[in-house]
Short mmCIF file of all heavy atoms in Angstrom, two decimals:
data_model
loop_
_atom_site.label_atom_id
_atom_site.label_comp_id
_atom_site.label_asym_id
_atom_site.label_seq_id
_atom_site.Cartn_x
_atom_site.Cartn_y
_atom_site.Cartn_z
N VAL A 15 33.94 26.22 31.05
CA VAL A 15 33.27 24.95 30.89
C VAL A 15 33.92 24.20 29.67
O VAL A 15 33.97 24.77 28.60
CB VAL A 15 31.71 25.17 30.67
CG1 VAL A 15 31.04 23.80 30.36
CG2 VAL A 15 31.13 25.79 31.97
N THR A 16 34.19 22.95 29.88
CA THR A 16 34.73 22.13 28.78
C THR A 16 33.93 20.80 28.58
O THR A 16 34.33 19.97 27.80
CB THR A 16 36.21 21.77 28.98
OG1 THR A 16 36.35 21.10 30.28
CG2 THR A 16 37.03 23.01 28.95
N GLU A 17 32.89 20.67 29.39
CA GLU A 17 32.04 19.46 29.27
C GLU A 17 30.87 19.70 28.29
O GLU A 17 30.12 20.64 28.42
CB GLU A 17 31.41 19.14 30.63
CG GLU A 17 32.44 18.73 31.73
CD GLU A 17 32.99 17.36 31.53
OE1 GLU A 17 32.29 16.55 30.82
OE2 GLU A 17 34.10 17.03 31.99
N LEU A 18 30.78 18.76 27.28
CA LEU A 18 29.73 18.96 26.19
C LEU A 18 28.36 18.71 26.78
O LEU A 18 27.41 19.21 26.16
CB LEU A 18 30.05 18.03 25.08
CG LEU A 18 31.35 18.36 24.26
CD1 LEU A 18 31.44 17.35 23.09
CD2 LEU A 18 31.38 19.75 23.75
N GLY A 19 28.24 18.02 27.80
CA GLY A 19 26.95 17.67 28.42
C GLY A 19 26.38 18.78 29.23
O GLY A 19 25.25 18.66 29.82
N THR A 20 27.04 19.89 29.47
CA THR A 20 26.68 20.96 30.35
C THR A 20 25.36 21.58 29.89
O THR A 20 25.19 21.83 28.75
CB THR A 20 27.81 22.05 30.44
OG1 THR A 20 28.95 21.45 30.89
CG2 THR A 20 27.34 23.20 31.39
N LYS A 21 24.51 21.84 30.83
CA LYS A 21 23.24 22.51 30.51
C LYS A 21 23.20 23.88 31.15
O LYS A 21 23.79 24.10 32.23
CB LYS A 21 22.00 21.71 30.99
CG LYS A 21 21.79 20.46 30.21
CD LYS A 21 20.49 19.74 30.56
CE LYS A 21 20.28 18.54 29.67
NZ LYS A 21 18.96 17.86 30.00
N VAL A 22 22.55 24.85 30.52
CA VAL A 22 22.45 26.19 31.04
C VAL A 22 21.03 26.63 31.02
O VAL A 22 20.20 26.15 30.18
CB VAL A 22 23.32 27.17 30.24
CG1 VAL A 22 24.78 26.89 30.44
CG2 VAL A 22 22.92 27.22 28.83
N ASP A 23 20.61 27.51 32.00
CA ASP A 23 19.35 28.11 31.98
C ASP A 23 19.44 29.37 31.07
O ASP A 23 20.23 30.27 31.39
CB ASP A 23 18.88 28.50 33.38
CG ASP A 23 17.46 29.00 33.47
OD1 ASP A 23 17.15 29.93 32.74
OD2 ASP A 23 16.71 28.41 34.29
N ASP A 24 18.66 29.38 30.00
CA ASP A 24 18.84 30.52 29.10
C ASP A 24 18.32 31.84 29.57
O ASP A 24 18.35 32.88 28.90
CB ASP A 24 18.10 30.15 27.71
CG ASP A 24 16.63 29.84 27.90
OD1 ASP A 24 16.11 29.92 29.04
OD2 ASP A 24 16.00 29.44 26.90
N VAL A 25 17.75 31.91 30.83
CA VAL A 25 17.39 33.13 31.48
C VAL A 25 18.24 33.48 32.62
O VAL A 25 18.76 34.64 32.75
CB VAL A 25 15.91 33.04 31.96
CG1 VAL A 25 15.54 34.31 32.75
CG2 VAL A 25 14.97 32.79 30.77
N LYS A 26 18.61 32.55 33.54
CA LYS A 26 19.29 32.78 34.78
C LYS A 26 20.85 32.81 34.59
O LYS A 26 21.48 33.60 35.26
CB LYS A 26 18.90 31.76 35.79
CG LYS A 26 17.47 31.84 36.21
CD LYS A 26 17.11 30.72 37.23
CE LYS A 26 15.63 30.74 37.61
NZ LYS A 26 15.31 29.60 38.55
N ASP A 27 21.36 31.94 33.76
CA ASP A 27 22.84 31.77 33.63
C ASP A 27 23.41 32.85 32.76
O ASP A 27 22.85 33.27 31.76
CB ASP A 27 23.18 30.41 33.12
CG ASP A 27 22.87 29.28 34.14
OD1 ASP A 27 23.03 29.56 35.32
OD2 ASP A 27 22.44 28.16 33.71
N GLU A 28 24.67 33.19 33.05
CA GLU A 28 25.45 34.18 32.29
C GLU A 28 26.50 33.36 31.53
O GLU A 28 27.29 32.69 32.09
CB GLU A 28 26.12 35.21 33.17
CG GLU A 28 25.12 36.14 33.78
CD GLU A 28 25.85 37.23 34.63
OE1 GLU A 28 26.94 36.93 35.08
OE2 GLU A 28 25.22 38.33 34.81
N VAL A 29 26.43 33.48 30.19
CA VAL A 29 27.37 32.74 29.27
C VAL A 29 28.25 33.72 28.60
O VAL A 29 27.79 34.77 28.06
CB VAL A 29 26.60 31.87 28.22
CG1 VAL A 29 27.54 31.16 27.36
CG2 VAL A 29 25.62 30.94 28.97
N PHE A 30 29.57 33.45 28.52
CA PHE A 30 30.47 34.24 27.89
C PHE A 30 31.29 33.50 26.89
O PHE A 30 31.69 32.39 27.07
CB PHE A 30 31.50 34.86 28.89
CG PHE A 30 30.87 35.86 29.87
CD1 PHE A 30 30.18 35.34 31.06
CD2 PHE A 30 30.81 37.16 29.76
CE1 PHE A 30 29.56 36.19 31.98
CE2 PHE A 30 30.27 38.00 30.58
CZ PHE A 30 29.63 37.58 31.72
N TYR A 31 31.53 34.13 25.69
CA TYR A 31 32.40 33.59 24.69
C TYR A 31 33.56 34.49 24.46
O TYR A 31 33.41 35.64 24.06
CB TYR A 31 31.52 33.45 23.33
CG TYR A 31 32.39 33.29 22.08
CD1 TYR A 31 33.38 32.27 22.03
CD2 TYR A 31 32.05 34.00 20.95
CE1 TYR A 31 34.08 32.09 20.85
CE2 TYR A 31 32.76 33.79 19.73
CZ TYR A 31 33.82 32.89 19.72
OH TYR A 31 34.52 32.68 18.56
N ASP A 32 34.81 34.00 24.73
CA ASP A 32 36.02 34.82 24.67
C ASP A 32 35.83 36.12 25.49
O ASP A 32 36.27 37.20 25.06
CB ASP A 32 36.37 35.12 23.22
CG ASP A 32 36.97 33.95 22.49
OD1 ASP A 32 37.37 32.94 23.17
OD2 ASP A 32 37.13 33.98 21.27
N GLY A 33 35.16 36.00 26.63
CA GLY A 33 35.00 37.12 27.52
C GLY A 33 33.86 38.05 27.22
O GLY A 33 33.55 38.98 28.02
N LYS A 34 33.16 37.79 26.12
CA LYS A 34 32.00 38.67 25.77
C LYS A 34 30.69 38.00 26.13
O LYS A 34 30.55 36.77 25.85
CB LYS A 34 32.04 39.06 24.28
CG LYS A 34 33.31 39.80 23.91
CD LYS A 34 33.27 40.16 22.42
CE LYS A 34 34.53 40.95 22.06
NZ LYS A 34 34.60 41.23 20.63
N PRO A 35 29.68 38.69 26.67
CA PRO A 35 28.45 38.01 27.03
C PRO A 35 27.70 37.53 25.79
O PRO A 35 27.72 38.19 24.81
CB PRO A 35 27.73 39.11 27.76
CG PRO A 35 28.34 40.44 27.31
CD PRO A 35 29.79 40.09 27.06
N VAL A 36 27.04 36.38 25.98
CA VAL A 36 26.30 35.83 24.91
C VAL A 36 24.80 35.89 25.30
O VAL A 36 24.37 35.40 26.33
CB VAL A 36 26.67 34.36 24.69
CG1 VAL A 36 25.83 33.71 23.56
CG2 VAL A 36 28.10 34.22 24.35
N LYS A 37 24.00 36.42 24.39
CA LYS A 37 22.63 36.49 24.60
C LYS A 37 21.83 35.89 23.39
O LYS A 37 22.36 35.95 22.26
CB LYS A 37 22.14 37.93 24.71
CG LYS A 37 22.70 38.69 25.92
CD LYS A 37 22.19 38.13 27.20
CE LYS A 37 22.79 38.92 28.38
NZ LYS A 37 22.36 38.41 29.71
N LYS A 38 20.73 35.22 23.65
CA LYS A 38 19.99 34.65 22.57
C LYS A 38 19.48 35.75 21.64
O LYS A 38 19.06 36.84 22.04
CB LYS A 38 18.75 33.93 23.11
CG LYS A 38 19.04 32.43 23.37
CD LYS A 38 17.70 31.71 23.58
CE LYS A 38 17.88 30.23 23.69
NZ LYS A 38 16.63 29.48 23.85
N SER A 39 19.63 35.52 20.38
CA SER A 39 19.09 36.44 19.37
C SER A 39 17.60 36.45 19.34
O SER A 39 16.95 35.37 19.25
CB SER A 39 19.65 36.15 17.97
OG SER A 39 21.03 36.12 17.96
N GLU A 40 16.95 37.61 19.49
CA GLU A 40 15.51 37.68 19.53
C GLU A 40 14.92 37.62 18.15
O GLU A 40 13.90 37.02 17.93
CB GLU A 40 15.08 38.91 20.28
CG GLU A 40 15.49 38.86 21.77
CD GLU A 40 14.96 40.12 22.51
OE1 GLU A 40 14.33 41.00 21.86
OE2 GLU A 40 15.21 40.24 23.72
N LYS A 41 15.59 38.23 17.23
CA LYS A 41 15.12 38.34 15.83
C LYS A 41 15.97 37.46 14.94
O LYS A 41 17.15 37.65 14.83
CB LYS A 41 15.13 39.74 15.35
CG LYS A 41 14.67 39.92 13.82
CD LYS A 41 14.83 41.34 13.37
CE LYS A 41 14.33 41.41 11.90
NZ LYS A 41 14.58 42.73 11.34
N LEU A 42 15.35 36.38 14.36
CA LEU A 42 16.07 35.59 13.46
C LEU A 42 16.08 36.14 12.08
O LEU A 42 15.01 36.59 11.54
CB LEU A 42 15.45 34.16 13.38
CG LEU A 42 15.43 33.42 14.75
CD1 LEU A 42 14.74 32.01 14.62
CD2 LEU A 42 16.87 33.18 15.26
N VAL A 43 17.29 36.19 11.42
CA VAL A 43 17.43 36.73 10.12
C VAL A 43 18.12 35.72 9.22
O VAL A 43 18.88 34.90 9.62
CB VAL A 43 18.17 38.04 10.08
CG1 VAL A 43 17.46 39.15 10.85
CG2 VAL A 43 19.55 37.88 10.72
N TYR A 44 17.69 35.75 7.92
CA TYR A 44 18.24 34.83 6.93
C TYR A 44 18.65 35.59 5.69
O TYR A 44 17.81 36.32 5.06
CB TYR A 44 17.17 33.75 6.62
CG TYR A 44 16.53 33.13 7.81
CD1 TYR A 44 15.49 33.69 8.51
CD2 TYR A 44 17.04 31.97 8.30
CE1 TYR A 44 14.90 33.11 9.64
CE2 TYR A 44 16.45 31.32 9.40
CZ TYR A 44 15.40 31.91 10.07
OH TYR A 44 14.85 31.27 11.16
N ILE A 45 19.95 35.53 5.37
CA ILE A 45 20.50 36.29 4.33
C ILE A 45 21.15 35.47 3.22
O ILE A 45 21.74 34.49 3.54
CB ILE A 45 21.59 37.29 4.88
CG1 ILE A 45 20.93 38.25 5.88
CG2 ILE A 45 22.36 38.06 3.86
CD1 ILE A 45 21.86 39.03 6.82
N MET A 46 20.98 35.91 1.99
CA MET A 46 21.65 35.36 0.88
C MET A 46 22.69 36.37 0.38
O MET A 46 22.35 37.47 0.10
CB MET A 46 20.74 35.00 -0.23
CG MET A 46 21.48 34.46 -1.50
SD MET A 46 20.51 34.44 -2.99
CE MET A 46 19.22 33.28 -2.57
N LEU A 47 23.98 35.91 0.30
CA LEU A 47 25.08 36.79 -0.20
C LEU A 47 25.59 36.13 -1.46
O LEU A 47 25.78 34.90 -1.56
CB LEU A 47 26.18 36.86 0.82
CG LEU A 47 27.52 37.48 0.41
CD1 LEU A 47 27.39 38.95 0.20
CD2 LEU A 47 28.60 37.18 1.45
N ASN A 48 25.89 37.06 -2.43
CA ASN A 48 26.66 36.59 -3.66
C ASN A 48 28.14 36.83 -3.35
O ASN A 48 28.60 37.97 -3.58
CB ASN A 48 26.18 37.23 -4.86
CG ASN A 48 26.86 36.72 -6.14
OD1 ASN A 48 27.87 35.92 -6.09
ND2 ASN A 48 26.32 37.06 -7.32
N LYS A 49 28.78 35.88 -2.80
CA LYS A 49 30.21 36.06 -2.38
C LYS A 49 31.08 36.17 -3.60
O LYS A 49 31.17 35.35 -4.47
CB LYS A 49 30.61 34.83 -1.54
CG LYS A 49 32.11 34.81 -1.16
CD LYS A 49 32.52 33.48 -0.66
CE LYS A 49 34.04 33.31 -0.57
NZ LYS A 49 34.76 33.53 -1.78
N PRO A 50 31.95 37.25 -3.63
CA PRO A 50 32.96 37.35 -4.61
C PRO A 50 34.14 36.49 -4.38
O PRO A 50 34.34 36.04 -3.24
CB PRO A 50 33.33 38.85 -4.64
CG PRO A 50 32.40 39.48 -3.60
CD PRO A 50 31.93 38.41 -2.71
N GLU A 51 35.02 36.26 -5.30
CA GLU A 51 36.29 35.64 -5.03
C GLU A 51 37.13 36.62 -4.20
O GLU A 51 36.94 37.76 -4.19
CB GLU A 51 37.03 35.35 -6.35
CG GLU A 51 36.34 34.38 -7.32
CD GLU A 51 35.39 35.14 -8.26
OE1 GLU A 51 35.04 36.34 -7.99
OE2 GLU A 51 35.03 34.57 -9.32
N GLY A 52 38.05 36.01 -3.46
CA GLY A 52 38.92 36.89 -2.62
C GLY A 52 38.48 37.20 -1.26
O GLY A 52 39.05 38.08 -0.56
N PHE A 53 37.37 36.53 -0.84
CA PHE A 53 36.90 36.66 0.53
C PHE A 53 36.80 35.29 1.22
O PHE A 53 36.47 34.31 0.61
CB PHE A 53 35.48 37.29 0.55
CG PHE A 53 35.43 38.75 0.24
CD1 PHE A 53 35.62 39.18 -1.09
CD2 PHE A 53 35.27 39.68 1.21
CE1 PHE A 53 35.61 40.52 -1.41
CE2 PHE A 53 35.28 41.00 0.96
CZ PHE A 53 35.44 41.50 -0.38
N VAL A 54 37.19 35.24 2.49
CA VAL A 54 37.10 34.01 3.24
C VAL A 54 35.75 33.91 3.92
O VAL A 54 35.20 34.83 4.39
CB VAL A 54 38.29 33.84 4.24
CG1 VAL A 54 39.58 33.68 3.52
CG2 VAL A 54 38.31 35.07 5.18
N THR A 55 35.27 32.63 4.05
CA THR A 55 34.00 32.41 4.69
C THR A 55 34.13 32.10 6.14
O THR A 55 33.94 31.02 6.57
CB THR A 55 33.26 31.24 3.95
OG1 THR A 55 33.27 31.46 2.55
CG2 THR A 55 31.84 31.18 4.43
N THR A 56 34.55 33.12 6.89
CA THR A 56 34.71 33.04 8.33
C THR A 56 34.29 34.39 8.91
O THR A 56 34.15 35.38 8.15
CB THR A 56 36.15 32.80 8.78
OG1 THR A 56 37.08 33.75 8.22
CG2 THR A 56 36.58 31.42 8.28
N VAL A 57 34.05 34.39 10.22
CA VAL A 57 33.71 35.66 10.91
C VAL A 57 34.97 36.49 11.05
O VAL A 57 34.93 37.74 10.81
CB VAL A 57 33.07 35.38 12.25
CG1 VAL A 57 32.78 36.68 13.03
CG2 VAL A 57 31.72 34.63 12.04
N LYS A 58 36.08 35.85 11.37
CA LYS A 58 37.36 36.57 11.51
C LYS A 58 38.46 35.74 10.81
O LYS A 58 38.32 34.52 10.67
CB LYS A 58 37.75 36.80 12.94
CG LYS A 58 36.86 37.77 13.68
CD LYS A 58 37.34 37.89 15.14
CE LYS A 58 36.42 38.90 15.93
NZ LYS A 58 36.86 39.06 17.35
N ASP A 59 39.50 36.34 10.35
CA ASP A 59 40.49 35.66 9.67
C ASP A 59 41.91 35.93 10.32
O ASP A 59 42.21 37.10 10.56
CB ASP A 59 40.63 35.98 8.15
CG ASP A 59 41.68 35.23 7.43
OD1 ASP A 59 41.58 33.98 7.43
OD2 ASP A 59 42.66 35.85 6.99
N GLN A 60 42.65 34.90 10.70
CA GLN A 60 43.89 35.06 11.35
C GLN A 60 44.91 35.77 10.52
O GLN A 60 45.94 36.35 11.10
CB GLN A 60 44.43 33.71 11.82
CG GLN A 60 44.66 32.76 10.72
CD GLN A 60 45.20 31.41 11.23
OE1 GLN A 60 45.90 31.38 12.19
NE2 GLN A 60 44.93 30.30 10.54
#
């Protein structure tokens, strides 16, 4: 899907991100980190 207006049913539809299934997070968490120097603020780094 490349259309920004696309809608999905959060129960019936199967959504994948880079081939991995995406599910809504049931438990919301909020974290504070004291980031040191020498770390990038991304989930993965190329």
Side-chain angles (χ1 to χ4, degrees):
V15 174
T16 56
E17 295 284 340
L18 295 182
T20 300
K21 290 188 176 182
V22 294
D23 188 304
D24 56 7
V25 175
K26 298 177 182 179
D27 290 325
E28 294 183 334
V29 180
F30 294 83
Y31 165 46
D32 285 348
K34 296 179 181 179
V36 177
K37 299 292 182 183
K38 267 194 175 181
S39 301
E40 295 183 359
K41 179 184 178 183
L42 295 178
V43 295
Y44 308 86
I45 293 165
M46 176 197 295
L47 169 70
N48 186 347
K49 173 194 167 304
E51 300 89 343
F53 286 78
V54 291
T55 311
T56 55
V57 175
K58 294 181 181 179
D59 182 63
Q60 59 179 329

